[in-house]
Amino acid sequence: MAKQFDLGGVIVATTLAFKEDASAPAGLAVDYDRFAEHCNWLIENGCRGVGPNGSLGEYSSLTDAERRKVIQVAVDTVGDRGLVVAGVHGVGWHQAQQWAEYAKEDGADGVLLLPPTIYRANDDEVIEHYSRVDEVGLPIMAYNNPIDTKVDLTPDLLVELAKLEHVVAVKEFSADIRRVLEIQDKTDLDVIAGADDLLFESLVAGAVGWFAGYPNAFPREAVELYTLVTSGRVDEARTLYRELVPVFGWDSKTEFVQAIKLSIDIAGESYGGPTRPPRGPLNALQTEQVTTHTRRALDYLAAR
């Protein structure tokens, strides 16, 4: 049954590499080779899987052809070593359903699904949106991000979504830590930590996985942190988390994509690079702050 689909571990909402190309949108072409290298590096460093075409993957700035190829590259790269949970977000259910069909055809293991984007849907519209994508048959992780979508998948609304056969989990990004236990109390859904700077608290409260941004820069340490908490070594986890949470906090800021890409480049083991519009470069103060927080984490890790 789809309800048994295991989304535990660290699944990384992958960044997407671009390279300069005057003929490409905004002068930036998708660098599929670097993207494949990045996915491979994440899996080799212990991550459970990758989540392409999320907000961090700049899916809304891609052409349809680019967006589909990103999934194909992720599936080909990861193979049977981990999961590929593809973002299939769309303004309407007809678009989200089509992206889910493509994801299924291209070998993704599951999908991540926001409520309708751009449009502030009511509860009935949200339920239809998920019901239509449920028809595709892939496991669905609902994504609650009321900060960006203005639609809140409340625990009571999740009660209705949990009745769908293939809705198995929720990525919880409301920043209300009380939601973890309330969702578990009211539904059979797995709660997946969505905000990196609430990761420790979410896992302690009972979240079973982490669909994450900052492991793009710190995959080994992210897996270590997840493993420490879930194995009961909470004090050790807190010590590590305390040094990582200042940089993890950028995951909850407007410029999270640019910040995480900069941190990847500072850490130096993979490639972050530029972002496509509407995301512009960080300003000087933001660059200084991200750099400071990233180096704090790297210095701590090097000194352990």
Side-chain angles (χ1 to χ4, degrees), residues 10 22 25 30 65 70 79-80 84-85 91 110 127 131 140 143 153 156 165 169 172 175 178-179 196 226 272 282:
V10 179
V30 177
V70 164
D80 60 1
V84 175
V85 181
V91 178
I127 291 168
S131 298
I140 297 170
Y143 183 5
L153 301 183
D156 287 339
E165 180 181 359
E172 179 36 49
R178 294 169 295 189
R179 293 283 183 94
D196 291 354
Y226 175 87
L282 298 172

Side-chain angles (χ1 to χ4, degrees), residues 111-138:
V111 301
L112 178 71
L113 178 61
L114 283 167
T117 59
I118 301 176
Y119 173 70
R120 187 181 299 185
N122 62 36
D123 285 2
D124 288 341
E125 291 163 339
V126 169
I127 291 168
E128 180 174 24
H129 190 77
Y130 281 89
S131 298
R132 295 290 190 164
V133 177
D134 190 72
E135 294 171 1
V136 175
L138 281 179

Side-chain angles (χ1 to χ4, degrees), residues 176-197:
D176 183 353
I177 198 65
R178 294 169 295 189
R179 293 283 183 94
V180 176
L181 290 173
E182 187 178 355
I183 292 166
Q184 290 177 330
D185 185 56
K186 292 182 174 181
T187 78
D188 61 352
L189 299 176
D190 284 340
V191 179
I192 308 300
D196 291 354
D197 54 347

Side-chain angles (χ1 to χ4, degrees), residues 3 5 31 96 111-112 127 291 294:
K3 292 290 186 183
F5 189 70
D31 192 331
V111 301
L112 178 71
I127 291 168
T291 300
T294 305

Side-chain angles (χ1 to χ4, degrees), residues 62-180:
L62 302 180
T63 67
D64 286 357
E66 289 170 335
R67 186 173 172 180
R68 185 167 190 185
K69 187 171 180 180
V70 164
I71 302 301
Q72 294 168 342
V73 171
V75 169
D76 289 345
T77 302
V78 171
D80 60 1
R81 298 180 296 162
L83 298 178
V84 175
V85 181
V88 294
H89 318 305
V91 178
W93 66 257
H94 56 299
Q95 293 147 317
Q97 186 186 65
Q98 181 64 73
W99 285 114
E101 291 283 6
Y102 289 150
K104 185 177 183 180
E105 290 173 19
D106 294 334
D109 299 286
V111 301
L112 178 71
L113 178 61
L114 283 167
T117 59
I118 301 176
Y119 173 70
R120 187 181 299 185
N122 62 36
D123 285 2
D124 288 341
E125 291 163 339
V126 169
I127 291 168
E128 180 174 24
H129 190 77
Y130 281 89
S131 298
R132 295 290 190 164
V133 177
D134 190 72
E135 294 171 1
V136 175
L138 281 179
I140 297 170
M141 186 191 320
Y143 183 5
N144 185 37
N145 187 347
I147 299 165
D148 289 336
T149 66
K150 312 305 179 190
V151 177
D152 191 359
L153 301 183
T154 64
D156 287 339
L157 181 51
L158 287 171
V159 168
E160 298 306 311
L161 298 184
K163 296 175 183 177
L164 299 172
E165 180 181 359
H166 301 289
V167 176
V168 299
V170 57
K171 175 183 175 179
E172 179 36 49
F173 200 93
S174 69
D176 183 353
I177 198 65
R178 294 169 295 189
R179 293 283 183 94
V180 176

Side-chain angles (χ1 to χ4, degrees), residues 22-38:
S23 66
L28 293 169
V30 177
D31 192 331
Y32 297 106
D33 290 339
R34 271 182 162 153
F35 174 62
E37 290 170 2
H38 185 63

